[in-house]
Amino acid sequence: MLELRVLLLLLIANGAPVFARFLMGDRGGLPIDSGARFKDGRPLLGPGKTWRGLIAAVLISALAAPLLGFSILTGCAIALLAMLGDLITSFCKRRFNLTPSSRAPFLDQFLETVLPLAAYQDALGLSLIQIAVIFAGFVLVNWGISPLLFRLGVRKKPY
Ligand code: CTP
Ligand code: MG
Ligand code: K
């Protein structure tokens, strides 16, 4: 089922940075914004956006993609677009004065799923309804498993 395969790829791409931090710890994750601040004085992106997370997303998605019936290239591109969406989200959260790692329901999940889906809509043959279903599934899975991953020590926040 296409929707399920795409949903799994997006969960893997967006989950990879969290697992990379869990496995390797807080040290060693070089912030993408190098600690820079925007003209409003707040972090450009924040310390939660690291090169390690971005690289982990691309590498793990490249490995997972063929298992889900996608090419390695598609896996890399979907992961890169998901990470781009995630970075844009963090940039916007900081501009809205939301502190790093704060909870922003739906906003936290929106661009990291919808940006890659919109870019790959034609290539994957997805309808707008299917994109909405995948986004809803992504939000539901996050709500379902984030508290569990928090209790297991994988996530730093229960969301
Ligand atoms: N992460 C990372 N590199 C990335 C994205 C995420 O290392 N490019 C790791 C960080 O440890 C981050 C965690 O995954 O704290 C959870 O990611 P996310 O929820 O996207 O970031 P937040 O910490 O919540 O930051 P923000 O408020 O900017 O969304
Ligand atoms: Mg978060
Ligand atoms: K996010």
Side-chain angles (χ1 to χ4, degrees), residues 18 49 86 90 93 100-104 108-109 112 155 157 159:
V18 176
K49 303 293 119 140
D86 185 44
S90 292
K93 283 175 75 178
S101 298
S102 58
R103 186 180 196 180
D108 272 333
Q109 294 87 28
E112 68 189 35
R155 274 193 168 274
K157 300 278 181 184
Y159 46 80

Side-chain angles (χ1 to χ4, degrees), residues 6 37 41 55 57 60 64 68 75 90 112 120 139 153:
V6 175
R37 286 175 183 268
I55 292 164
I60 295 173
L68 293 167
S90 292
E112 68 189 35
Y120 264 71
V139 170

Side-chain angles (χ1 to χ4, degrees), residues 95-148:
R95 307 290 73 76
F96 300 151
N97 209 6
L98 295 167
T99 50
S101 298
S102 58
R103 186 180 196 180
F106 300 109
L107 176 63
D108 272 333
Q109 294 87 28
F110 188 70
L111 283 181
E112 68 189 35
T113 51
V114 172
L115 188 73
L117 291 178
Y120 264 71
Q121 180 178 4
D122 290 344
L124 294 174
L126 292 169
S127 68
L128 284 178
I129 301 280
Q130 284 175 307
I131 289 179
V133 166
I134 294 166
F135 173 63
F138 187 89
V139 170
L140 284 176
V141 171
N142 264 278
W143 284 354
I145 68 169
S146 290
L148 186 70

Side-chain angles (χ1 to χ4, degrees), residues 5 8-9 12 60-72 75:
R5 292 191 293 123
L8 283 172
L9 185 59
I12 288 166
I60 295 173
S61 302
L63 291 176
L67 303 175
L68 293 167
F70 303 108
S71 69
I72 291 175

